[in-house]
Amino acid sequence: MFVVLLNYTAPIEEIDYVLPDHAQWLAKQYEQGHFLASGRRNPRIGGVIITRPMARGKLDAILATDPFSVQHLAQYEVIEFSPTKTAPELRLVNEAVPH
């Protein structure tokens, strides 16, 4: 699984202008089953995405289609982790823990 930290590289006014396109992109990723959670960072310097398990190359390809990436408005820090414990609500998405 991955945690993706988005760090804005542009003024917030530019981020806000592209935000509707980014929201549509997020919705598409949820529909396709790629993401589990996402939201703004506080303070508002970027965002956070938690993904379902997938190949790193696939995630990189998905992130490259984010309007923030396409328009060079954010940088992405991708943190891979192997969850060994999961809350009951998330056990079905954790491939590492027997169900």
Side-chain angles (χ1 to χ4, degrees):
M1 295 178 78
F2 299 93
V3 174
V4 181
L5 302 178
L6 284 76
N7 295 298
Y8 297 146
T9 58
I12 203 69
E13 296 79 18
E14 291 181 46
I15 298 300
D16 285 342
Y17 183 77
V18 179
L19 195 57
D21 294 333
H22 174 73
Q24 285 183 333
W25 173 82
L26 284 170
K28 179 180 176 185
Q29 303 318 312
Y30 281 102
E31 288 171 12
Q32 294 180 353
H34 297 144
F35 294 171
L36 293 172
S38 60
R40 291 181 178 172
R41 293 172 64 179
N42 293 317
R44 195 169 171 215
I45 59 170
V48 177
I49 300 169
I50 301 173
T51 76
R52 290 185 182 272
M54 67 180 76
R56 173 64 191 262
K58 180 176 181 176
L59 176 59
D60 289 342
I62 290 168
L63 295 176
T65 65
D66 180 358
F68 287 162
S69 176
V70 171
Q71 296 189 33
H72 308 287
L73 301 177
Q75 293 179 332
Y76 303 80
E77 179 183 356
V78 178
I79 302 165
E80 184 172 3
F81 75 105
S82 299
T84 55
K85 292 191 102 172
T86 306
E89 301 86 357
L90 295 178
R91 283 198 184 119
L92 292 177
V93 299
N94 185 352
E95 297 173 348
V97 175
H99 303 117

